[in-house]
Amino acid sequence: MRDQLKTEAEPPSAVPGQRRRLPARPPVPAKPPAARLERAGATERAAEGTTNGAAEKMAYRLAYLDAATRRINSALDLAATLRNIGRVLVPTLADAAVVHLRDPLPNVEREPGFPEELRIHHSTGTRIGRRGRKSGADDRHRSRYGSRSTADTGPATPVTRGGALAHILLSRRPAESAVLGTPAAERTEALLRELYGTRGLARLAPGTSVVALPLRGRKAVLGLLVLIRRPPERTGRPAFDAADTATAAHLATQAGLAVDTALRYAREWEIANELQRSMLPLRLPQSHGVRLAQRYLPGERGAQVGGDWYDAVPLPGNRVALIVGDVMGHSLTSAAIMGQLRTSAQTLAALDLPPHEVLYHLDEQAQRLGREQHLATCVYAVYDPIANRVVLANAGHVPPVLVRPDGTAELVELDSGAPIGVGGVDFNSVELPAPPGSALLLFTDGLVETRSRPLSDGLEVLRAKIAAARWQSPEQLCQEALRILPPGDRGDDIALLGACFDGIPAGDVAHWYLQPRNETPGRARRLAAHTLRRWGLDELSEATELMVSELVTNAVQHATRPVTLSLVRTTRLRCEVGDDSPLLPRPRRTGPEDERGRGLQIVARCADRWGATRLGTGKVVWFEQRLPVGT
């Protein structure tokens, strides 16, 4: 029986000469049911969906980084840069963001060294460290370079060497996030306590996720960026993960470079602005018979420095030259050319040339500046308070506004000609009456021409505004003119020069033409003494007669035409002696036996002020005396 089972269990041995039997084929598996196929397809689709989802998230994150980088670097102003940083981070990446910068803001062109203090300059989505101010408050202050940024919203935080804040600022390790209330957040909590104090840290609930990132410029650390995500149970958003932290680190790098750029631009803008302001007069001369006021407004931060200028130059006869000009273009070169033209205009005005001659010589000077010279526009006016007349000439400039004594205002239509620097252009002067009570406003086109308002409309708005306003002084006149500016950025700087004409009464002026003869000094003394008695200034008679005699004697020795003698009574007594000799008198040291050269020493000793001015037809020597008390 055992042999039989063995025989049945073992295959038969191969018999010689007999074909070997092949083993049987394996059975074909049965087709799986439809449910199994559906589950397998779902698994494959799920795997594919996971891959596509990761790709979509990556594409979204890259698009966000691209847009955020562009926006962070879209502005040159520090305040705008900080606002852009807050807007790209909140709420897309964080629930709140706080930007701390060094205090004071450093000079980024050189290594500022270790940061001593930090101060909050901008915060979005939180009031931490703001001491009761509203979130997003946009108060501003001016830094050492004039850059405008969000106001100091909290006390300065000292950076302690070896502390958690110094460790973060100087660390080169990859950024890390921490969840408050966990053992891993010990260093982050120490940092927040150092920044905002224990009370500030207590305002952040446990479970809050925080990332602190240094803001590095091109040469040094400029500040710190703190990002906050509130607990997930409050917002439904998880804590910062590794991808979020890497994204925040990249944006912090861009933010640091953007802040560095804004500080560099602010410093360059301030240097150019200071250069331009240094070329403008610090104060205007207060000539008798006219009251002057000026305003200068630089363009907004986004606009480069321009070449607008104003000036007033005293002239003989109590006259005054009024000048407003504008160098076309916006650059440091424009400001430099403005300074050259203003200096030339002062020199030409001192020669007492007619306004059109001054513009002609300015045009020649502009052409000498080189082939790359800038064009400039200019209005030049000379006011005579004795004759109550004003003479104007225009070189491509916007027309000034003349206000009549009855309050009506009109644009002075002048032959504007071509701008200075074109060359080969004739300029014309126009003489207009300027009785007491009238006024003249000179300005540049930045006042009347804006992005939303054409020049012609702006001129009419200005004329109507001045005619309707009630102003009593040149300061008020300038202030009313500035009220027509629309809100928003100014793309150009503005220069204004307002003049209120009071005139000098004819009874306070005496003027004579004297022939250059030997007896002329004696006659001049008698005329001066008679005039002073009529004015009730007998106390000044002796000194005035002596000085008039000396100046007229000197004029007679050099003159070939009649000598002029003028006495003008205002708050001072002014005497002018003119002749046709261009040689200016100079005081000199005389010896005991010298018979000449003592006249100017006498004038310098007796007068309060004296001087000599070369004119186109000769010169004028003048002196002034204070009036006695009670006159």
Side-chain angles (χ1 to χ4, degrees):
M1 183 68 176
R2 183 178 300 170
D3 295 338
Q4 182 180 358
L5 291 175
K6 183 178 181 179
T7 302
E8 293 178 357
E10 295 179 359
S13 300
V15 178
Q18 187 178 2
R19 180 177 297 177
R20 183 178 179 179
R21 296 179 61 186
L22 296 176
R25 297 180 178 180
V28 178
K31 294 182 179 182
R36 186 179 299 175
L37 288 176
E38 184 175 353
R39 286 195 299 270
T43 302
E44 294 179 0
R45 287 194 301 269
E48 183 179 359
T50 301
T51 304
N52 293 338
E56 290 178 359
K57 289 181 179 181
M58 180 61 69
Y60 172 79
R61 192 176 296 272
L62 291 177
Y64 166 69
L65 285 175
D66 178 70
T69 301
R70 291 176 181 273
R71 184 161 188 176
I72 289 175
N73 293 278
S74 63
L76 293 175
D77 181 70
L78 179 59
T81 298
L82 296 179
R83 287 195 298 269
N84 289 338
I85 292 172
R87 288 168 181 170
V88 301
L89 293 173
V90 179
T92 305
L93 186 62
D95 297 323
V98 184
V99 178
H100 303 254
L101 295 181
R102 299 173 67 135
D103 186 53
L105 295 176
N107 181 354
V108 293
E109 292 186 355
R110 60 174 180 262
E111 173 59 49
F114 182 80
E116 300 295 336
E117 290 183 340
L118 296 185
R119 192 182 295 271
I120 296 177
H121 276 247
H122 187 82
S123 61
T124 304
T126 182
R127 296 176 60 184
I128 186 171
R130 299 183 68 88
R131 292 205 165 183
R133 297 200 180 196
K134 295 182 179 180
S135 177
D138 197 21
D139 301 327
R140 295 165 182 256
H141 77 290
R142 188 173 292 274
S143 75
R144 61 186 293 185
Y145 299 122
S147 62
R148 295 183 178 274
S149 63
T150 306
D152 301 341
T153 53
T157 301
V159 181
T160 305
R161 296 180 182 269
L165 179 55
H167 175 78
I168 291 294
L169 293 177
L170 303 179
S171 176
R172 293 288 180 176
R173 297 179 57 186
E176 297 179 355
S177 62
V179 178
L180 302 184
T182 62
E186 181 179 355
R187 179 176 293 177
T188 301
E189 291 177 355
L191 169 67
L192 297 178
R193 190 178 300 107
E194 189 173 350
L195 285 173
Y196 312 120
T198 304
R199 179 177 298 182
L201 177 61
R203 298 177 64 178
L204 298 176
T208 300
S209 181
V210 177
V211 177
L213 302 157
L215 296 176
R216 293 189 176 89
R218 292 168 176 82
K219 290 187 177 182
V221 175
L222 302 179
L224 183 73
L225 173 64
V226 178
L227 300 181
I228 300 171
R229 275 190 185 178
R230 296 182 174 87
E233 57 270 17
R234 294 178 54 184
T235 61
R237 181 156 60 174
F240 291 109
D241 58 16
D244 296 331
T245 305
T247 301
H250 174 80
L251 294 181
T253 300
Q254 296 297 324
L257 295 176
V259 170
D260 186 287
T261 300
L263 293 177
R264 290 174 183 271
Y265 177 80
R267 183 173 185 273
E268 293 176 0
W269 187 92
E270 188 67 18
I271 290 174
N273 188 44
E274 287 299 323
L275 172 63
Q276 184 179 22
R277 286 186 178 274
S278 67
M279 295 179 181
L280 296 175
L282 297 178
R283 60 184 63 88
L284 296 178
Q286 297 303 318
S287 301
H288 297 289
V290 58
R291 291 169 292 151
L292 302 176
Q294 84 286 347
R295 293 289 188 276
Y296 175 75
L297 277 71
E300 291 294 337
R301 187 69 54 183
Q304 289 181 313
V305 66
D308 293 15
W309 91 89
Y310 60 86
D311 208 349
V313 183
L315 300 177
N318 288 89
R319 294 172 302 148
V320 60
L322 309 174
I323 313 168
V324 166
D326 182 6
V327 177
M328 298 183 182
H330 295 84
S331 64
L332 197 60
T333 304
S334 299
I337 293 178
M338 176 270 289
Q340 293 177 338
L341 292 180
R342 176 176 172 257
T343 302
S344 300
Q346 282 187 326
T347 304
L348 295 170
L351 296 177
D352 201 14
L353 299 176
H356 63 276
E357 287 291 333
V358 172
L359 295 184
Y360 174 79
H361 290 292
L362 277 179
D363 181 62
E364 288 187 327
Q365 176 64 23
Q367 295 179 62
R368 295 191 190 101
L369 296 179
R371 299 177 60 183
E372 300 297 331
Q373 81 277 8
H374 287 215
L375 300 178
T377 62
C378 181
V379 169
Y380 186 94
V382 175
Y383 169 65
D384 188 340
I386 298 176
N388 293 322
R389 309 287 290 180
V390 60
V391 184
L392 305 97
N394 191 347
H397 202 77
V398 289
V401 176
L402 180 64
V403 185
R404 301 295 182 183
D406 59 359
T408 58
E410 61 177 309
L411 297 172
V412 181
E413 297 296 337
L414 302 173
D415 183 8
S416 61
I420 294 171
V422 173
V425 179
D426 292 331
F427 302 100
N428 299 318
S429 295
V430 175
E431 185 175 352
L432 299 174
S438 57
L440 184 69
L441 180 67
L442 308 177
F443 52 92
T444 55
D445 57 357
L447 176 65
V448 292
E449 187 177 24
T450 63
R451 298 181 181 93
S452 59
R453 185 170 59 196
L455 177 62
S456 57
D457 293 348
L459 289 173
E460 180 57 29
V461 170
L462 176 63
R463 186 204 63 78
K465 179 65 176 178
I466 293 178
R470 295 181 179 180
W471 47 268
Q472 302 295 329
S473 65
E475 290 81 7
Q476 295 176 355
L477 174 62
C478 293
Q479 194 63 33
E480 290 295 333
L482 292 175
R483 294 184 188 277
I484 71 169
L485 290 173
D489 294 345
R490 297 187 309 275
D492 198 0
D493 47 349
I494 300 172
L496 292 89
L497 180 58
C500 291
F501 302 145
D502 299 328
I504 298 177
D508 293 333
V509 180
H511 185 80
W512 301 276
Y513 288 93
L514 306 175
Q515 296 297 326
R517 299 170 182 170
N518 294 333
E519 62 272 16
T520 298
R523 185 186 177 201
R525 289 195 301 269
R526 292 190 296 272
L527 293 172
H530 175 74
T531 302
L532 293 182
R533 284 195 299 270
R534 179 165 56 87
W535 288 343
L537 300 177
D538 298 278
E539 296 182 25
L540 301 179
S541 180
E542 182 178 357
T544 302
E545 288 183 47
L546 179 60
M547 290 185 286
V548 167
S549 176
E550 294 293 339
L551 295 185
V552 172
T553 299
N554 183 76
V556 167
Q557 292 176 353
H558 299 90
T560 59
R561 296 180 182 179
V563 175
T564 61
L565 172 62
S566 300
L567 291 176
V568 180
R569 180 184 63 174
T570 55
T571 57
R572 290 173 173 266
L573 176 65
R574 182 182 177 93
C575 175
E576 295 182 355
V577 176
D579 60 72
D580 60 345
S581 173
L583 298 177
L584 296 180
R586 293 283 185 264
R588 62 178 182 175
R589 184 174 301 176
T590 58
E593 299 180 357
D594 292 337
E595 297 182 358
R596 303 179 60 182
R598 304 181 189 277
L600 289 182
Q601 294 182 5
I602 295 175
V603 173
R605 180 66 62 89
C606 297
D608 295 324
R609 296 174 60 238
W610 76 278
T613 303
R614 180 179 285 113
L615 305 179
T617 57
K619 67 175 180 295
V620 166
V621 184
W622 56 270
F623 64 84
E624 289 184 350
Q625 295 173 280
R626 288 190 296 268
L627 298 184
V629 178
T631 58

mmCIF file of all heavy atoms in Angstrom, residues 356 359-368 373 375 417-428:
data_model
loop_
_atom_site.group_PDB
_atom_site.id
_atom_site.type_symbol
_atom_site.label_atom_id
_atom_site.label_comp_id
_atom_site.label_asym_id
_atom_site.label_seq_id
_atom_site.Cartn_x
_atom_site.Cartn_y
_atom_site.Cartn_z
ATOM 1 N N HIS A 356 15.435 143.886 -20.623
ATOM 2 C CA HIS A 356 15.671 143.097 -21.835
ATOM 3 C C HIS A 356 17.154 142.897 -22.093
ATOM 4 O O HIS A 356 17.566 141.876 -22.645
ATOM 5 C CB HIS A 356 14.990 143.755 -23.040
ATOM 6 C CG HIS A 356 15.530 145.115 -23.372
ATOM 7 N ND1 HIS A 356 15.107 146.257 -22.743
ATOM 8 C CD2 HIS A 356 16.474 145.511 -24.277
ATOM 9 C CE1 HIS A 356 15.736 147.307 -23.236
ATOM 10 N NE2 HIS A 356 16.579 146.883 -24.160
ATOM 11 N N LEU A 359 18.301 139.982 -19.855
ATOM 12 C CA LEU A 359 17.959 138.679 -20.440
ATOM 13 C C LEU A 359 18.850 138.348 -21.633
ATOM 14 O O LEU A 359 19.206 137.179 -21.842
ATOM 15 C CB LEU A 359 16.487 138.681 -20.854
ATOM 16 C CG LEU A 359 15.475 138.809 -19.721
ATOM 17 C CD1 LEU A 359 14.050 138.696 -20.271
ATOM 18 C CD2 LEU A 359 15.704 137.768 -18.637
ATOM 19 N N TYR A 360 19.210 139.350 -22.403
ATOM 20 C CA TYR A 360 20.076 139.108 -23.561
ATOM 21 C C TYR A 360 21.437 138.573 -23.104
ATOM 22 O O TYR A 360 21.961 137.610 -23.662
ATOM 23 C CB TYR A 360 20.243 140.397 -24.359
ATOM 24 C CG TYR A 360 21.233 140.293 -25.491
ATOM 25 C CD1 TYR A 360 20.876 139.684 -26.698
ATOM 26 C CD2 TYR A 360 22.536 140.778 -25.353
ATOM 27 C CE1 TYR A 360 21.788 139.580 -27.741
ATOM 28 C CE2 TYR A 360 23.452 140.672 -26.390
ATOM 29 C CZ TYR A 360 23.070 140.063 -27.570
ATOM 30 O OH TYR A 360 23.976 139.942 -28.599
ATOM 31 N N HIS A 361 22.011 139.199 -22.066
ATOM 32 C CA HIS A 361 23.317 138.744 -21.586
ATOM 33 C C HIS A 361 23.198 137.400 -20.867
ATOM 34 O O HIS A 361 24.139 136.591 -20.910
ATOM 35 C CB HIS A 361 23.924 139.799 -20.668
ATOM 36 C CG HIS A 361 24.343 141.048 -21.400
ATOM 37 N ND1 HIS A 361 25.385 141.070 -22.306
ATOM 38 C CD2 HIS A 361 23.858 142.318 -21.363
ATOM 39 C CE1 HIS A 361 25.538 142.292 -22.799
ATOM 40 N NE2 HIS A 361 24.618 143.069 -22.231
ATOM 41 N N LEU A 362 22.074 137.135 -20.205
ATOM 42 C CA LEU A 362 21.871 135.810 -19.617
ATOM 43 C C LEU A 362 21.824 134.744 -20.700
ATOM 44 O O LEU A 362 22.330 133.627 -20.513
ATOM 45 C CB LEU A 362 20.578 135.791 -18.808
ATOM 46 C CG LEU A 362 20.630 136.321 -17.371
ATOM 47 C CD1 LEU A 362 19.242 136.234 -16.744
ATOM 48 C CD2 LEU A 362 21.630 135.547 -16.540
ATOM 49 N N ASP A 363 21.209 135.055 -21.823
ATOM 50 C CA ASP A 363 21.154 134.113 -22.937
ATOM 51 C C ASP A 363 22.555 133.818 -23.457
ATOM 52 O O ASP A 363 22.898 132.665 -23.747
ATOM 53 C CB ASP A 363 20.269 134.694 -24.037
ATOM 54 C CG ASP A 363 20.140 133.764 -25.225
ATOM 55 O OD1 ASP A 363 19.625 132.648 -25.058
ATOM 56 O OD2 ASP A 363 20.575 134.144 -26.338
ATOM 57 N N GLU A 364 23.385 134.836 -23.540
ATOM 58 C CA GLU A 364 24.764 134.613 -23.961
ATOM 59 C C GLU A 364 25.526 133.750 -22.956
ATOM 60 O O GLU A 364 26.288 132.857 -23.336
ATOM 61 C CB GLU A 364 25.479 135.957 -24.135
ATOM 62 C CG GLU A 364 25.036 136.758 -25.342
ATOM 63 C CD GLU A 364 25.899 137.981 -25.540
ATOM 64 O OE1 GLU A 364 26.354 138.544 -24.510
ATOM 65 O OE2 GLU A 364 26.128 138.379 -26.690
ATOM 66 N N GLN A 365 25.298 134.022 -21.665
ATOM 67 C CA GLN A 365 25.981 133.247 -20.640
ATOM 68 C C GLN A 365 25.560 131.782 -20.677
ATOM 69 O O GLN A 365 26.385 130.875 -20.513
ATOM 70 C CB GLN A 365 25.682 133.843 -19.266
ATOM 71 C CG GLN A 365 26.264 133.074 -18.104
ATOM 72 C CD GLN A 365 27.782 133.052 -18.123
ATOM 73 O OE1 GLN A 365 28.404 133.920 -18.722
ATOM 74 N NE2 GLN A 365 28.373 132.055 -17.477
ATOM 75 N N ALA A 366 24.272 131.518 -20.912
ATOM 76 C CA ALA A 366 23.791 130.138 -20.973
ATOM 77 C C ALA A 366 24.426 129.391 -22.139
ATOM 78 O O ALA A 366 24.720 128.194 -22.027
ATOM 79 C CB ALA A 366 22.275 130.121 -21.101
ATOM 80 N N GLN A 367 24.661 130.081 -23.232
ATOM 81 C CA GLN A 367 25.288 129.408 -24.376
ATOM 82 C C GLN A 367 26.757 129.111 -24.110
ATOM 83 O O GLN A 367 27.315 128.169 -24.681
ATOM 84 C CB GLN A 367 25.156 130.292 -25.616
ATOM 85 C CG GLN A 367 23.709 130.492 -26.061
ATOM 86 C CD GLN A 367 23.610 131.384 -27.285
ATOM 87 O OE1 GLN A 367 24.124 131.054 -28.352
ATOM 88 N NE2 GLN A 367 22.949 132.518 -27.121
ATOM 89 N N ARG A 368 27.385 129.873 -23.222
ATOM 90 C CA ARG A 368 28.787 129.608 -22.907
ATOM 91 C C ARG A 368 28.959 128.410 -21.986
ATOM 92 O O ARG A 368 30.082 127.947 -21.752
ATOM 93 C CB ARG A 368 29.407 130.841 -22.236
ATOM 94 C CG ARG A 368 29.491 132.064 -23.135
ATOM 95 C CD ARG A 368 30.354 133.141 -22.495
ATOM 96 N NE ARG A 368 30.253 134.391 -23.205
ATOM 97 C CZ ARG A 368 29.509 135.423 -22.806
ATOM 98 N NH1 ARG A 368 28.831 135.323 -21.676
ATOM 99 N NH2 ARG A 368 29.470 136.525 -23.513
ATOM 100 N N GLN A 373 24.186 122.504 -22.514
ATOM 101 C CA GLN A 373 23.544 123.394 -21.570
ATOM 102 C C GLN A 373 22.041 123.147 -21.532
ATOM 103 O O GLN A 373 21.452 122.667 -22.484
ATOM 104 C CB GLN A 373 23.829 124.864 -21.930
ATOM 105 C CG GLN A 373 22.949 125.438 -23.036
ATOM 106 C CD GLN A 373 23.437 125.098 -24.428
ATOM 107 O OE1 GLN A 373 24.346 124.313 -24.589
ATOM 108 N NE2 GLN A 373 22.803 125.686 -25.409
ATOM 109 N N LEU A 375 18.153 124.672 -21.122
ATOM 110 C CA LEU A 375 17.390 125.883 -21.360
ATOM 111 C C LEU A 375 16.780 126.352 -20.053
ATOM 112 O O LEU A 375 16.572 125.581 -19.119
ATOM 113 C CB LEU A 375 16.303 125.624 -22.397
ATOM 114 C CG LEU A 375 16.774 125.150 -23.777
ATOM 115 C CD1 LEU A 375 15.578 124.899 -24.682
ATOM 116 C CD2 LEU A 375 17.726 126.149 -24.406
ATOM 117 N N GLY A 417 8.976 135.656 -25.851
ATOM 118 C CA GLY A 417 10.210 135.317 -26.524
ATOM 119 C C GLY A 417 10.559 133.842 -26.365
ATOM 120 O O GLY A 417 9.699 132.998 -26.124
ATOM 121 N N ALA A 418 11.831 133.547 -26.490
ATOM 122 C CA ALA A 418 12.308 132.164 -26.372
ATOM 123 C C ALA A 418 13.038 131.994 -25.049
ATOM 124 O O ALA A 418 13.496 132.968 -24.445
ATOM 125 C CB ALA A 418 13.221 131.825 -27.549
ATOM 126 N N PRO A 419 13.160 130.773 -24.570
ATOM 127 C CA PRO A 419 13.899 130.552 -23.323
ATOM 128 C C PRO A 419 15.360 130.952 -23.450
ATOM 129 O O PRO A 419 15.940 131.023 -24.542
ATOM 130 C CB PRO A 419 13.749 129.043 -23.094
ATOM 131 C CG PRO A 419 12.540 128.647 -23.868
ATOM 132 C CD PRO A 419 12.516 129.547 -25.063
ATOM 133 N N ILE A 420 15.950 131.195 -22.303
ATOM 134 C CA ILE A 420 17.375 131.510 -22.246
ATOM 135 C C ILE A 420 18.167 130.277 -22.663
ATOM 136 O O ILE A 420 17.914 129.174 -22.194
ATOM 137 C CB ILE A 420 17.756 131.954 -20.830
ATOM 138 C CG1 ILE A 420 17.068 133.272 -20.494
ATOM 139 C CG2 ILE A 420 19.257 132.076 -20.667
ATOM 140 C CD1 ILE A 420 17.218 133.676 -19.054
ATOM 141 N N GLY A 421 19.133 130.474 -23.525
ATOM 142 C CA GLY A 421 19.948 129.387 -24.021
ATOM 143 C C GLY A 421 19.695 129.037 -25.461
ATOM 144 O O GLY A 421 20.489 128.325 -26.069
ATOM 145 N N VAL A 422 18.590 129.538 -26.033
ATOM 146 C CA VAL A 422 18.303 129.270 -27.443
ATOM 147 C C VAL A 422 19.270 130.032 -28.328
ATOM 148 O O VAL A 422 19.819 129.514 -29.296
ATOM 149 C CB VAL A 422 16.835 129.626 -27.768
ATOM 150 C CG1 VAL A 422 16.571 129.513 -29.264
ATOM 151 C CG2 VAL A 422 15.893 128.730 -26.986
ATOM 152 N N GLY A 423 19.502 131.309 -27.991
ATOM 153 C CA GLY A 423 20.446 132.125 -28.744
ATOM 154 C C GLY A 423 19.794 132.853 -29.906
ATOM 155 O O GLY A 423 18.868 132.360 -30.542
ATOM 156 N N GLY A 424 20.288 134.078 -30.164
ATOM 157 C CA GLY A 424 19.810 134.857 -31.294
ATOM 158 C C GLY A 424 18.386 135.349 -31.162
ATOM 159 O O GLY A 424 17.697 135.511 -32.169
ATOM 160 N N VAL A 425 17.910 135.582 -29.940
ATOM 161 C CA VAL A 425 16.530 135.997 -29.716
ATOM 162 C C VAL A 425 16.538 137.403 -29.134
ATOM 163 O O VAL A 425 17.335 137.729 -28.251
ATOM 164 C CB VAL A 425 15.804 135.027 -28.758
ATOM 165 C CG1 VAL A 425 14.377 135.484 -28.518
ATOM 166 C CG2 VAL A 425 15.830 133.622 -29.332
ATOM 167 N N ASP A 426 15.639 138.247 -29.631
ATOM 168 C CA ASP A 426 15.478 139.593 -29.094
ATOM 169 C C ASP A 426 14.453 139.576 -27.970
ATOM 170 O O ASP A 426 13.408 138.928 -28.068
ATOM 171 C CB ASP A 426 15.014 140.560 -30.189
ATOM 172 C CG ASP A 426 16.091 140.796 -31.231
ATOM 173 O OD1 ASP A 426 17.276 140.697 -30.874
ATOM 174 O OD2 ASP A 426 15.747 141.082 -32.403
ATOM 175 N N PHE A 427 14.750 140.295 -26.913
ATOM 176 C CA PHE A 427 13.831 140.430 -25.784
ATOM 177 C C PHE A 427 13.369 141.873 -25.705
ATOM 178 O O PHE A 427 14.126 142.805 -26.013
ATOM 179 C CB PHE A 427 14.524 140.017 -24.475
ATOM 180 C CG PHE A 427 15.040 138.606 -24.492
ATOM 181 C CD1 PHE A 427 16.385 138.347 -24.724
ATOM 182 C CD2 PHE A 427 14.194 137.534 -24.273
ATOM 183 C CE1 PHE A 427 16.868 137.058 -24.731
ATOM 184 C CE2 PHE A 427 14.658 136.236 -24.279
ATOM 185 C CZ PHE A 427 16.006 135.995 -24.509
ATOM 186 N N ASN A 428 12.150 142.057 -25.256
ATOM 187 C CA ASN A 428 11.554 143.377 -25.176
ATOM 188 C C ASN A 428 11.129 143.673 -23.748
ATOM 189 O O ASN A 428 10.706 142.776 -23.010
ATOM 190 C CB ASN A 428 10.333 143.487 -26.098
ATOM 191 C CG ASN A 428 10.690 143.264 -27.561
ATOM 192 O OD1 ASN A 428 11.715 143.764 -28.028
ATOM 193 N ND2 ASN A 428 9.869 142.508 -28.269
#
